[in-house]
Amino acid sequence: MIAESNKVKDKALIFNIQKYSIHDGPGIRSVVFFKGCPLRCFWCSNPESQLKKPEDMWDNTKKAITTVGEYKTYDDIINEVLKDRVFYEESGGGVTFSGGEVLFQAEFATELARRLRDLGIHMACETTGYASTKTFSHFIEQMDLIFIDFKHPDSKQHRLGTGVPNELVIKNIMYAKEHHDQVIVRIPIIPNFNDSLEVAHQFAHKLNDMHIDAIELLPFHQFGENKYKYLNRDYKMKNVPQLHAEDLEDYKQILEAAGITVSI
Ligand code: SF4
């Protein structure tokens, strides 16, 4: 299912608004996390973001079960993020939409971004690009900066790892590159999925085909491990060691040999 499925169009299901973030775009930012995702990546570090409905989860700080996800109006979110406007202005920051998958609530997210931009807020997003190109194109018109994931160059493997094929993702990455000048393609490097040097060669070939000459590699981390326990769900990456930049040196060299600029 790729179409937006908002039950309540004047509200969006949000599971967090994280303040003072410095890793999701330039400057100091507030990150709005949309709940609901059409993918099911087996390594997902935000498993509480996947279902598009509120759900119970153990809160280990409060030592109690809490509900993850709350329906919020435009004003709820705008009023909250504007509290930090002075930090955005002083640092060159703004607001980033993340998830889950923000495009799963694309209509609301597009309108919210438009309203925030009208208020002079710099807008960024982190997306899988998994939505119809029409929906995607309207959304990215409201973005100043787009981070988009490319998880596997082979569609069959992409489907095995994420639950969906990659053709639409590739189409939208190419659309974004053609129609927007601030697009950063990111590849999460996941053990037993896309971390082999064979896949690095496949990526190099595919990225050349797509005329993409710069990417970021995101080494696998274990930040989400406890969340699976708190949600009472199985975690396929249990005890799998994290990766670090130095582990990706050979991978990086293969991409660079194909003329691609790589940052980690
Ligand atoms: S796209 Fe992101 S949020 Fe969705 S399942 Fe994959 S890692 Fe999790």
Side-chain angles (χ1 to χ4, degrees), residues 72-123:
K72 290 186 184 288
T73 65
Y74 294 109
D75 284 349
D76 290 340
I77 300 168
I78 290 168
N79 291 339
E80 187 60 34
V81 301
L82 284 185
K83 286 178 189 169
D84 290 339
R85 182 174 204 152
V86 64
F87 296 113
Y88 313 147
E89 287 171 357
E90 283 180 7
S91 68
V95 171
T96 300
F97 288 174
S98 188
E101 172 49 59
V102 57
L103 291 166
F104 216 26
Q105 302 183 74
E107 189 180 318
F108 183 99
T110 303
E111 174 60 16
L112 177 61
R114 191 191 62 73
R115 294 186 191 192
L116 285 167
R117 256 179 140 203
D118 280 355
L119 292 164
I121 304 294
H122 178 275
M123 290 301 309

Side-chain angles (χ1 to χ4, degrees), residues 23 38 104 112 126 139 145 156-157 173 176 180 184 191 204 209:
H23 299 295
F104 216 26
L112 177 61
E126 298 171 324
F139 176 70
L145 172 63
K156 197 170 156 207
Q157 294 303 318
I173 290 174
H180 203 291
I184 296 176
D209 276 356

Side-chain angles (χ1 to χ4, degrees), residues 25-51:
I28 296 171
R29 311 191 71 83
S30 292
V31 184
V32 180
F33 288 90
F34 287 75
K35 186 162 157 54
C37 182
L39 278 64
R40 288 293 177 271
C41 308
F42 64 82
W43 63 89
C44 181
S45 61
N46 284 330
E48 80 279 28
S49 76
Q50 293 176 343
L51 295 184

